[in-house]
């Protein structure tokens, strides 16, 4: 049973436009969410996170939105740049108590930025 | 500061064999977590070690085991390999337990089971 779902395996966006990556989760106990970016042959790198007490967190071109009632979060990248082409993983965990089950990841969305 | 290193980077084994993968965390990091990445299942949590003790465990069979040494380096062992164990195995380190801290990932070990 996939507790974290990224329903779009790939997404193509034109350079300069906004990229929106979506993520849904089923476990209402999750209270901390993270986005990771992964290039081929490299490990994932942390991008941005959000606690369940917030509904938005912004860091430069990256903004994560959390809708707890819908159990949905999204990552907005604006403007999109060629270097943003990568696989993006959404992850969730129980922040308090040290993360009982580690991070639970979605299957990833391959973002392709077209020139 | 050096990042997380994993050895070997690539490994080919046959069914029934066993394998040991190694992970050296960032200096000063005390937690090491292991993940399996496959195309069909994405990234799945295997286990986390902190101060030489397994603190958390994912939903994997007992063939998957690990340990952590006093210098925080960690090894993961898979016994009686199956074809389905072919995957990228990622190690991640964090200062304290992973749930409270950002994790830094290594490049992974690509295991192919023939």
């Amino acid at each position: 049973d996939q507790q974290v779902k990224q329903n779009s395996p790939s997404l193509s966006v034109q350079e300069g436009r906004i990229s929106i990556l979506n993520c849904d989760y089923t476990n209402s106990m999750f209270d901390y969410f993270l986005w990771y970016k992964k290039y081929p042959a490299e490990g994932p790198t942390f991008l941005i996170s959000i606690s369940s007490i917030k509904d938005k967190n912004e860091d430069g071109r990256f903004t994560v939105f959390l809708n707890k009632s819908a159990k949905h979060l999204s990552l907005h990248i604006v403007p999109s740049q060629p270097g943003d082409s990568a696989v993006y993983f959404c992850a969730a965990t129980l922040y308090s108590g040290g993360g009982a089950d580690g991070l639970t990841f979605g299957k990833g969305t391959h973002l392709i930025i077209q020139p | 500061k050096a990042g997380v290193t994993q050895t070997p980077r690539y490994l080919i084994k046959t069914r029934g064999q066993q394998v040991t993968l190694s992970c050296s965390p960032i200096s000063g990091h005390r937690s090491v977590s292991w993940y399996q990445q496959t195309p069909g299942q994405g990234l799945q949590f295997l286990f986390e070690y902190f101060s030489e003790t397994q603190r958390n465990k994912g939903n994997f069979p007992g063939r998957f085991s690990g340990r952590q040494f006093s210098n925080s380096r960690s090894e993961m062992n898979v016994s009686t390999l199956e074809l389905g164990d072919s995957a990228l195995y990622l190690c991640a380190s964090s200062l304290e337990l992973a749930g409270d801290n950002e994790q830094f990932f290594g490049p992974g070990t690509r295991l192919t089971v023939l």
Side-chain angles (χ1 to χ4, degrees):
Chain A
D1 177 34
Q2 196 88 28
Q3 294 190 69
V4 176
K5 298 178 185 178
Q6 293 177 258
N7 292 319
S8 299
S10 66
L11 177 67
S12 186
V13 174
Q14 206 164 11
E15 182 179 356
R17 307 290 283 266
I18 182 171
S19 296
I20 301 176
L21 295 98
N22 293 303
C23 178
D24 297 291
Y25 61 97
T26 58
N27 188 344
S28 57
M29 298 297 290
F30 287 143
D31 55 8
Y32 192 60
F33 305 89
L34 309 92
W35 283 93
Y36 284 82
K37 177 179 177 179
K38 186 181 184 303
Y39 292 117
E42 295 181 14
T45 54
F46 171 77
L47 201 54
I48 192 169
S49 64
I50 188 167
S51 164
S52 61
I53 62 173
K54 292 184 173 183
D55 54 18
K56 177 182 174 182
N57 188 26
E58 199 170 347
D59 184 3
R61 296 186 298 114
F62 302 92
T63 303
V64 56
F65 295 93
L66 175 62
N67 183 335
K68 281 190 67 179
S69 60
K71 296 194 185 68
H72 176 84
L73 63 155
S74 60
L75 173 68
H76 292 213
I77 306 173
V78 55
S80 300
Q81 298 174 354
D84 296 331
S85 294
V87 177
Y88 289 78
F89 290 96
C90 168
T93 188
L94 301 174
Y95 182 78
S96 54
D101 296 307
L103 288 172
T104 301
F105 285 87
K107 292 187 180 182
T109 296
H110 186 192
L111 176 64
I112 301 160
I113 305 301
Q114 295 181 331
Chain B
K1 194 185 246 188
V4 178
T5 57
Q6 291 187 245
T7 56
R9 292 294 309 278
Y10 301 92
L11 203 50
I12 299 175
K13 291 284 187 179
T14 56
R15 277 182 299 175
Q17 286 187 307
Q18 67 107 26
V19 67
T20 299
L21 312 181
S22 180
C23 172
S24 292
I26 291 172
S27 177
H29 283 197
R30 298 201 291 162
S31 167
V32 173
S33 297
W34 288 90
Y35 296 86
Q36 181 195 65
Q37 185 187 354
T38 58
Q41 297 296 321
L43 270 166
Q44 291 184 287
F45 172 69
L46 278 155
F47 28 65
E48 178 183 11
Y49 285 86
F50 181 80
S51 294
E52 302 178 63
T53 304
Q54 187 181 93
R55 295 302 181 103
N56 301 303
K57 191 176 192 309
N59 189 26
F60 277 80
R63 300 186 296 108
F64 292 81
S65 63
R67 59 177 175 168
Q68 186 180 34
F69 302 95
S70 58
N71 61 359
S72 293
R73 190 178 70 84
S74 176
E75 287 182 347
M76 190 191 94
N77 186 77
V78 187
S79 62
T80 321
L81 284 165
E82 300 176 1
L83 294 178
D85 297 332
S86 293
L88 179 68
Y89 290 88
L90 291 162
C91 155
S93 77
S94 56
L95 277 169
E96 302 292 335
L97 282 171
D100 294 338
N101 287 270
E102 179 186 341
Q103 290 184 309
F104 295 83
F105 283 81
T109 294
R110 172 74 63 184
L111 172 65
T112 302
V113 182
L114 302 175

